[in-house]
Amino acid sequence: MTRRLTPIASWLIWLTLAGVSGGLYALIARLSSRFEYTRPFADRPIPEVVGLLAAAFAVYLLAASIAACRAVSRGQLGWIAGAALAYRLILLPTTPIQEIDIYRYLWDGIVVNQGINPFRFPPQAVREARFEDTADRQLARLVQVRDADPHIRALLERIHYAELPSVYPPVSQAVFAAAAWTTPPRASIPQRALVLKLWLLAFDLATAGLVLLLLRDTGRPLGMFVLYAWCPLAIKEFSNSGHLDVIAVFLTTLAIWLAVRLASPVGSFQATEAGRIPRPHRTLGSRRGLALASGLALALAVGAKLYPIWLFPLFAAFIWRQLGGKWFCVTGAVCLAGGVGVLWPLLPASISREPAPPGADRPAENGTAAVATADPSRGLRTFLTRWEMNDFLFMIVLENVKPIDPQRSEPAPWFSLVPQAPREALISPLAERFAGDRWQASFFVVRLASLLAALAVAAWCIQRAWRTLDITVWLESAFLTLAWFWFLSPTLNPWYWTWMLPLLAFARSRVWWWTSGVLLVYYLRFWFSYQDSAAPLAGTPYVGTAFFDYVVTWFEFGPWLACLILDHARRRPRS
């Protein structure tokens, strides 16, 4: 049961919390100008920004704890929503802090507006091409666009991993194109970024509205809306950095909300002044329509970012449980057809009939990549098979699987304990399949193991949700499916945690609430990389990013994971 404070005391608490948070975001906005792209790395106030975000997270955690145990009035709920909007507007026009992905988004939008597949030409191909020497008409058109506007030329220079084609799926590309279409001609780079962030803000606010509807439809305290609306990680990554993940987050949340709406009244409740009462039963036709809409929304979500595909089995089991095998097949077919349709431009077959431009198979002078590509999935495949960043469990296993390199100059990780013989026995037979690349073979083995572990978690969640019609159990299962898939992966970028934020209110353990604060430590990795000192740090043999990877990540994830395990053990039913 929730407890009520006196109206004055309750309002005073929320006014104070909102005011403190607003002041912290104003300070972050002021510091953001020192992260301008051309500014020297050593001058960037990374520790100060991380400290301010940590303070905002402490306020957020206090607000969430209050909202979970004390009822909020309708007026206070409006105040929470208004403050959430204000925080986003404060950071919206600011310079992205330590993130440059938005420059690739802007370029992709320009390419799509030219009617060209954004997965065909890496930005490096356009950078290096000369109009008079370009036989391919599409590439020549992009060169014309580049040369017609100095801002676009400067934008191209800011894209990193420019040797790779885009990795961002077509639904997100459509949003980039819409932002480019609504951007004034010859707009500066900050103006282009602001227009795109306004589009992303619309998805962010729509997601917040869906979170509120989910809480209402499941009888949860509406004040827990603050778990998404005030999350510093979401505010920083969407309104400041402009990450595209908010598009997929909205579509996934929409699919989940539609599934909740079709659920039978058993376990589905509507909050009223008198308490929680069952929702009225829906007609079979309306429930079938909601199932189809939910499947289509999930397909579009996969077309925005691939991670929602991990929810397909859970959704399939839910549809079968609710409507039977026939509508499971119908909804599955709609979802599959929609997914293939939206992902088609990313598939090799989409441009297989186009003539490859001259030099498409020629390596670039720096040996990184071809000037152009006939395989639009190359960028995505590179990401899925080689990217590793800010990981923990994946890193520990990988460092104990890959064979020890005797030529390695930097100190080995202190947790690399497995002898060389079993490593060689496991990896050497596989290395031939990867052209002798032992690191790639090791990465493949650990990636496969992590996917199997994530599949086991997903299967457990499906089995758990199948046993009951309680929709809140299904929502928690969806949260756990995504959360463990994220944690077991090799790339734990902080903004990836926003995938789970709309469902955070349904997590049984409050340790999950801490995750978005823990991940703020990630930004210190840049600070370590910018230090000129070659001296080992804190009595370790590690310098710079190696110190972060092999030492700091243990403080980032170790206590959090230990608390999560202990909390789970405490909650297990006693025999």
Side-chain angles (χ1 to χ4, degrees):
M1 292 292 292
T2 56
R3 299 188 301 273
R4 289 184 179 273
L5 294 170
T6 63
I8 294 178
S10 183
W11 268 105
L12 188 60
I13 289 173
W14 286 109
L15 288 171
T16 303
L17 293 175
V20 171
S21 291
L24 291 170
Y25 288 119
L27 291 173
I28 292 170
R30 185 173 182 180
L31 287 176
S32 71
S33 61
R34 294 169 62 183
F35 289 85
E36 179 57 46
Y37 183 82
T38 56
R39 190 143 188 147
F41 292 150
D43 294 344
R44 298 183 176 188
I46 296 174
E48 292 91 328
V49 168
V50 170
L52 290 170
L53 286 170
F57 176 76
V59 176
Y60 158 80
L61 207 57
L62 178 59
S65 300
I66 293 171
C69 63
R70 299 182 185 278
V72 298
S73 66
R74 188 182 294 263
Q76 289 165 351
L77 190 63
W79 174 257
I80 292 171
L85 175 61
Y87 304 154
R88 286 159 169 78
L89 293 178
I90 289 171
L91 292 187
L92 200 68
T94 58
T95 303
I97 295 172
Q98 283 306 126
E99 295 297 339
I100 59 176
D101 287 354
I102 195 169
Y103 303 129
R104 170 81 76 156
Y105 307 163
L106 295 173
W107 170 248
D108 284 357
I110 292 169
V111 173
V112 175
N113 268 353
Q114 294 297 316
I116 298 172
N117 187 332
F119 309 110
R120 188 174 186 214
F121 297 105
Q124 180 178 310
V126 185
R127 283 183 192 171
E128 297 175 352
R130 296 173 52 186
F131 180 76
E132 57 272 19
D133 298 334
T134 303
D136 187 278
R137 277 186 274 182
Q138 290 187 347
L139 182 57
R141 193 186 316 160
L142 293 178
V143 172
Q144 282 184 311
V145 171
R146 177 199 71 187
D147 293 340
D149 189 336
H151 297 300
I152 294 179
R153 179 184 287 273
L155 176 66
L156 262 173
E157 295 300 322
R158 296 189 180 192
I159 299 173
H160 73 159
Y161 301 111
E163 71 277 7
L164 295 174
S166 183
V167 302
Y168 306 116
V171 172
S172 291
Q173 296 287 348
V175 177
F176 303 159
W181 184 72
T182 53
T183 300
R186 295 195 168 272
S188 65
I189 294 176
Q191 289 170 336
R192 290 178 179 276
L194 179 59
V195 172
L196 177 55
K197 288 199 283 185
L198 283 169
W199 277 85
L200 298 179
L201 176 65
F203 286 96
D204 189 15
L205 297 178
T207 303
L210 287 173
V211 171
L212 201 55
L213 291 176
L214 279 173
L215 294 171
R216 183 202 66 183
D217 290 347
T218 55
R220 290 295 177 100
L222 296 183
M224 294 184 75
F225 164 70
V226 79
L227 279 170
Y228 180 88
W230 281 21
C231 181
L233 187 69
I235 294 168
K236 188 271 176 195
E237 301 300 351
F238 296 155
S239 293
N240 170 260
S241 299
H243 279 295
L244 67 90
D245 298 68
V246 69
I247 305 168
V249 169
F250 162 72
L251 291 168
T252 305
T253 310
L254 176 62
I256 290 170
W257 177 69
L258 290 169
V260 168
R261 300 286 288 179
L262 77 88
S264 63
V266 179
S268 182
F269 294 92
Q270 181 177 18
T272 67
E273 291 297 325
R276 286 155 44 111
I277 61 172
R279 300 185 64 83
H281 189 75
R282 299 183 182 280
T283 65
L284 183 59
S286 66
R287 295 179 68 209
R288 290 171 175 174
L290 287 168
L292 292 175
S294 178
L296 184 58
L298 191 62
L300 290 172
V302 173
K305 190 107 180 185
L306 295 183
Y307 81 88
I309 201 171
W310 211 249
L311 289 175
F312 272 19
L314 189 66
F315 265 79
F318 178 80
I319 297 298
W320 195 316
R321 189 82 163 89
Q322 294 288 332
L323 297 175
K326 177 183 176 181
W327 278 91
F328 156 79
C329 295
V330 172
T331 305
V334 168
C335 196
L336 180 62
V340 172
V342 297
L343 291 176
W344 179 254
L346 191 54
L347 303 177
S350 66
I351 60 171
S352 60
R353 296 184 180 180
E354 295 185 23
D361 299 323
R362 172 178 59 82
E365 293 181 3
N366 59 11
T368 53
V371 171
T373 182
D375 181 1
S377 66
R378 183 162 64 88
L380 183 60
R381 284 190 293 105
T382 301
F383 173 80
L384 293 176
T385 59
R386 298 197 67 89
W387 244 254
E388 185 189 3
M389 178 62 67
N390 196 43
D391 51 333
F392 185 60
L393 293 181
F394 191 95
M395 173 188 66
I396 295 170
V397 177
L398 181 62
E399 292 295 343
N400 283 279
V401 166
K402 68 181 182 181
I404 300 170
D405 184 2
Q407 305 298 323
R408 179 173 178 161
S409 58
E410 63 182 28
W414 62 270
F415 48 86
S416 181
L417 305 174
V418 176
Q420 178 77 333
R423 301 180 191 221
E424 289 285 358
L426 176 64
I427 300 303
S428 293
L430 290 172
E432 295 180 5
R433 295 179 176 270
F434 295 91
D437 189 338
R438 292 149 71 86
W439 182 91
Q440 187 66 67
S442 305
F443 187 94
F444 171 80
V445 169
V446 181
R447 189 72 172 116
L448 180 61
S450 71
L451 288 174
L452 290 174
L455 275 173
V457 173
W460 175 80
C461 289
I462 292 170
Q463 178 263 344
R464 180 171 174 265
W466 183 270
R467 294 200 309 256
T468 177
L469 286 174
D470 189 340
I471 195 64
T472 59
V473 174
W474 184 79
L475 290 168
E476 185 191 15
S477 297
F479 170 83
L480 292 173
T481 298
L482 291 178
W484 284 105
F485 169 69
W486 166 82
F487 187 57
L488 293 167
S489 74
T491 309
L492 302 187
N493 290 328
W495 53 95
Y496 290 1
W497 180 250
T498 61
W499 304 346
M500 283 64 75
L501 277 181
L503 298 174
L504 191 57
F506 301 95
R508 193 170 304 182
S509 173
R510 290 195 182 185
V511 178
W512 290 110
W513 294 12
W514 308 351
T515 313
S516 58
V518 165
L519 288 170
L520 297 173
V521 174
Y522 161 84
Y523 284 100
L524 293 177
R525 190 178 194 273
F526 296 100
W527 184 81
F528 283 111
S529 71
Y530 298 156
Q531 304 309 303
D532 292 330
S533 174
L537 298 172
T540 71
Y542 309 118
V543 178
T545 55
F547 178 79
F548 181 91
D549 293 338
Y550 302 150
V551 177
V552 176
T553 52
W554 284 79
F555 292 95
E556 181 182 6
F557 292 110
W560 169 84
L561 183 58
C563 289
L564 192 63
I565 293 171
L566 290 172
D567 189 61
H568 174 72
R570 181 180 64 84
R571 290 174 180 275
R572 290 185 63 184
R574 298 181 183 276
S575 58

